[in-house]
Amino acid sequence: MTNWNSFFEGILDERLIKVNEPMANHNTYGIGGNADVFVSPADKESLIAVLRKAAAEGLPVTLIGGGSNCLISDKGIRGVTICTSRIKPEMTCFETWITAYGGVGTGTVARFAQKNSLTGFEWAVGIPGTLCGAAFMNANGYGSKMRNVVEEVYAVSIDGEIDKVYGWDDLHYGESDSVFMHNGDVIYGVKLHLAMGDSEKIKAEMDDHQQSRRAKQPLEKRSAGTMYLRPPGYHVGPMIKACGLIGFAIGDAEVSTKHADFVVNNGNASCEDVLAVLHEVQRRVKEKFGVHIPLDVRAISYGGESIECNFFQTLGRLTMVQIREWLLGVDGVSSCYEAFSDVEEWRKRYWKIYDAKIYRKTKNWEHEKEFRVAVSNTFGEFDVPQKQNMSFDWNLLKGVIFGI
């Protein structure tokens, strides 16, 4: 058994190292088993040192900020879990730019902007968690997103060896998605570009947003916020209501009676309970409306990877032609069983690939049609003409999408 205090000797003070730490204490859901070791570096230098040490020893690393968009496995997290919200917060303002480092909260930055008469970030005043976490996932609210205000992001590679500056074009922002959700780099700072405004009007708008949140969201209960992404042309809440799922519960996990997009923890919900509710909602909505509603929560498994992987987000940056090229390989589908013995797991993952292109609403129907045919040949799930020789090179696809 690893002596973690000795492992991090010279890097972290012992009080910043917690062994077998209950992760339920470190996320807004109040759910999760124990982390092997949970560390809270106080500055960038110690963060880098922890990353380098873990990389040198071949240990898996899981990053968590304010824990406001996380659903953590009941089994806990293996390896080293790093909490970045305890890194010393710093904020500076120069003209219309705000630069924030460390664990500074998103709402704190919004109020700092207001005090400096800067507009454009009012929508974020009630968003929990850290600004770095908001930049990581392209947080959104009231018609705006992080992509609209971020100018630069400062990060370090997961092995702690490379310090990076990301310009806006490097961030590859999508719906609740960014380059960081795919390359593993660790954000430690963000620069926002706002505009001059009237401090009192900014404050009034922020107050309106806060009042709206209190009125419409179940803030009195533990949750991870809204749990689904909205497919273009649909609104998730009304679909959930139409399915009669308001108040639907498994264990202490319940579809909120106040806001249908929330699944709340009524006291002792487990990760398994929440996932069961989420998946039942997805199943019922798809059954009734024929549309898949993807999850908008970072679900962290026992090994530190995502439980409900956002494969559609990875694929969302590829063109239909590129996807078609991946699919029209020569190996066929049989090799999928080499990677996944559980056919249902394979089917669930494959749906992600299909949905990626539906959400993008490609204008080239011929490619979309061929994609549907490829899926149909594999599972026979779509009412489209059958076409022969539409197998795909799974070995190529799995390496890019599943990272295996």
Side-chain angles (χ1 to χ4, degrees), residues 148-174:
N148 298 336
V149 295
V150 171
E151 178 155 305
E152 289 182 342
V153 173
Y154 312 109
V156 62
S157 58
I158 192 66
D159 60 5
E161 296 298 333
I162 306 173
D163 211 339
K164 304 180 182 181
V165 178
Y166 284 83
W168 190 90
D169 290 337
D170 304 319
L171 299 172
H172 302 297
Y173 274 138

Side-chain angles (χ1 to χ4, degrees), residues 92 94 96-101 131 135 146 149-154 166 168 171 189-194:
T92 61
F94 174 72
T96 56
W97 288 271
I98 288 178
T99 305
Y101 296 97
L131 185 68
M146 287 297 292
V149 295
V150 171
E151 178 155 305
E152 289 182 342
V153 173
Y154 312 109
Y166 284 83
W168 190 90
L171 299 172
V190 180
K191 179 188 277 189
L192 306 180
H193 190 193
L194 305 175

Side-chain angles (χ1 to χ4, degrees), residues 299-315:
I300 302 173
S301 78
Y302 181 74
E305 68 275 8
S306 173
I307 297 172
E308 182 74 15
C309 299
N310 290 325
F311 301 126
F312 69 92
Q313 294 173 337
T314 302
L315 285 161

Side-chain angles (χ1 to χ4, degrees), residues 47-59 61 63 82 155-164 183-186:
L47 168 65
I48 290 174
V50 169
L51 292 172
R52 288 178 176 175
K53 180 69 172 178
E57 299 297 327
L59 294 174
V61 170
L63 278 296
I82 302 175
V156 62
S157 58
I158 192 66
D159 60 5
E161 296 298 333
I162 306 173
D163 211 339
K164 304 180 182 181
N183 68 11
D185 286 355
V186 183

Side-chain angles (χ1 to χ4, degrees), residues 31 50 66 70 100 115 157 190 236 270 298 365 372 377 387:
I31 291 172
V50 169
C70 292
K115 290 179 181 178
S157 58
V190 180
V236 176
S270 65
R298 183 184 174 217
W365 173 244
R372 286 173 176 244
N377 278 355
K387 187 174 181 180

Side-chain angles (χ1 to χ4, degrees), residues 52-333:
R52 288 178 176 175
K53 180 69 172 178
E57 299 297 327
L59 294 174
V61 170
T62 301
L63 278 296
I64 186 169
S68 59
N69 191 47
C70 292
L71 176 60
I72 298 174
S73 168
D74 300 317
K75 295 180 180 179
I77 305 175
R78 301 289 70 83
V80 180
T81 301
I82 302 175
C83 178
T84 58
S85 67
R86 313 295 171 80
I87 296 174
K88 182 182 177 181
E90 297 179 27
M91 287 186 294
T92 61
C93 179
F94 174 72
E95 296 181 348
T96 56
W97 288 271
I98 288 178
T99 305
Y101 296 97
V104 63
T106 306
T108 300
V109 176
R111 288 184 286 272
F112 182 70
Q114 180 263 324
K115 290 179 181 178
N116 285 277
S117 299
L118 294 179
T119 184
F121 207 48
E122 294 89 337
W123 59 273
V125 65
I127 293 181
T130 66
L131 185 68
C132 290
F136 171 84
M137 62 171 291
N138 190 24
N140 66 86
Y142 294 97
S144 192
K145 303 176 181 180
M146 287 297 292
R147 64 175 294 164
N148 298 336
V149 295
V150 171
E151 178 155 305
E152 289 182 342
V153 173
Y154 312 109
V156 62
S157 58
I158 192 66
D159 60 5
E161 296 298 333
I162 306 173
D163 211 339
K164 304 180 182 181
V165 178
Y166 284 83
W168 190 90
D169 290 337
D170 304 319
L171 299 172
H172 302 297
Y173 274 138
E175 292 298 317
S176 294
D177 188 32
S178 75
V179 66
F180 305 105
M181 299 180 80
H182 309 285
N183 68 11
D185 286 355
V186 183
I187 301 173
Y188 64 82
V190 180
K191 179 188 277 189
L192 306 180
H193 190 193
L194 305 175
M196 294 304 301
D198 182 282
S199 180
E200 290 304 314
K201 290 181 179 179
I202 294 169
K203 185 177 185 304
E205 183 176 342
M206 289 166 59
D207 289 344
D208 286 345
H209 290 332
Q210 290 289 65
Q211 184 176 355
S212 175
R213 280 191 169 94
R214 286 190 291 270
K216 298 178 180 179
Q217 298 179 5
L219 302 182
E220 70 281 1
K221 294 187 177 183
R222 306 197 73 161
S223 76
T226 56
M227 301 297 279
Y228 307 97
L229 289 174
R230 182 171 73 87
Y234 296 88
H235 291 279
V236 176
M239 289 193 291
I240 294 175
K241 291 178 183 178
C243 291
L245 289 167
I246 300 299
F248 171 77
I250 295 177
D252 270 355
E254 178 190 58
V255 176
S256 171
T257 56
K258 195 172 185 179
H259 192 309
D261 288 26
F262 283 67
V263 173
V264 298
N265 178 2
N266 282 326
N268 295 301
S270 65
C271 176
E272 183 177 350
D273 292 338
V274 173
L275 286 174
V277 170
L278 293 173
H279 292 153
E280 179 62 12
V281 169
Q282 287 178 312
R283 186 189 71 79
R284 297 270 289 276
V285 168
K286 185 161 186 62
E287 183 178 77
K288 187 175 183 67
F289 294 96
V291 60
H292 175 69
I293 50 174
L295 299 186
D296 188 19
V297 63
R298 183 184 174 217
I300 302 173
S301 78
Y302 181 74
E305 68 275 8
S306 173
I307 297 172
E308 182 74 15
C309 299
N310 290 325
F311 301 126
F312 69 92
Q313 294 173 337
T314 302
L315 285 161
R317 295 199 303 276
L318 302 179
T319 66
M320 181 58 71
V321 173
Q322 288 174 311
I323 294 298
R324 180 174 176 272
E325 289 174 352
W326 283 114
L327 291 174
L328 304 184
V330 296
D331 286 355
V333 299

